[in-house]
Amino acid sequence: MKNLLLLAVFVPLLSVGTTAQTGIPTSAAHGVKVERIPSIKVDLSTKDARMFRTNLRNAAKDGVNFAGHFVLTSWGCGTNCNHAGIIDARNGRVFFPTPLAGFGVGFESWLGEDDPLEFKPGSRLLILKGYSPNELNKEHPSGGYFYYLWNGTALRQIKFVKKSDPKE
């Protein structure tokens, strides 16, 4: 019985230690409870929400997919460019966080990955694999993994891991 108790106490500590050692944020470390919201009505009262209404409404039909009660969706905005919005499923309010306004894609293809955004319904962590918007026009943009935490209205960058293009 003592062994089971010790195991129950130390195994979680070992996994936290591993995360702390690598310094890479994990979805589990930023978990939230996922809400079931049957019908999401998108608030189109802002200019940006009206401009992207089709993308937003289509995403809302699929339900909550991010940070407990939010819907995150993205769409192309040109060559190697994506744009994204986050819908609060409780009230339909739409957010367009600055890091997701014209972020660079194409980077993930040389990593052997398909999607430039990684997120989960039960976590506030968002990982952007690519280039930040302010890097896109540079001759040699700095790309990598951008780790963000969603606070319900904005993204806060908590880590960046630079990756070099194998062609360079």
Side-chain angles (χ1 to χ4, degrees):
M1 186 66 167
K2 283 184 183 179
N3 289 344
L4 285 176
L5 181 59
L6 288 173
L7 193 60
V9 170
F10 287 112
V11 167
L13 291 176
L14 289 174
S15 65
V16 169
T18 303
T19 301
Q21 288 172 0
T22 63
I24 302 299
T26 64
S27 292
H30 303 286
V32 293
K33 183 181 177 195
V34 179
E35 296 180 23
R36 304 275 182 240
I37 301 173
S39 178
I40 302 169
K41 184 173 177 1
V42 180
D43 177 356
L44 300 175
S45 62
T46 67
K47 180 182 174 186
D48 285 340
R50 282 190 302 277
M51 184 183 310
F52 300 114
R53 66 184 169 271
T54 302
N55 291 327
L56 296 168
R57 285 178 176 155
N58 287 340
K61 291 176 188 175
D62 294 333
V64 171
N65 65 1
F66 177 59
H69 66 272
F70 293 91
V71 178
L72 193 152
T73 184
S74 67
W75 52 90
C77 56
T79 304
N80 292 334
C81 177
N82 260 12
H83 196 73
I86 300 173
I87 306 163
D88 186 331
R90 292 176 180 165
N91 59 25
R93 185 173 173 199
V94 182
F95 302 90
F96 296 98
T98 302
L100 302 182
F103 63 92
V105 296
F107 166 86
E108 70 284 354
S109 65
W110 45 265
L111 288 174
E113 300 185 26
D114 295 329
D115 199 339
L117 296 177
E118 185 178 316
F119 55 94
K120 294 183 179 181
S123 178
R124 298 182 310 117
L125 182 69
L126 170 67
I127 305 168
L128 186 154
K129 297 170 264 185
Y131 306 99
S132 67
N134 59 352
E135 290 286 320
L136 281 180
N137 294 325
K138 293 183 179 178
E139 187 175 337
H140 298 287
S142 179
Y145 295 94
F146 295 84
Y147 294 84
Y148 295 100
L149 274 186
W150 176 249
N151 70 8
T153 59
L155 289 170
R156 178 176 58 89
Q157 186 175 335
I158 57 173
K159 188 165 185 77
F160 172 68
V161 177
K162 183 178 174 152
K163 294 292 180 183
S164 297
D165 188 332
K167 295 178 243 171
E168 292 180 352

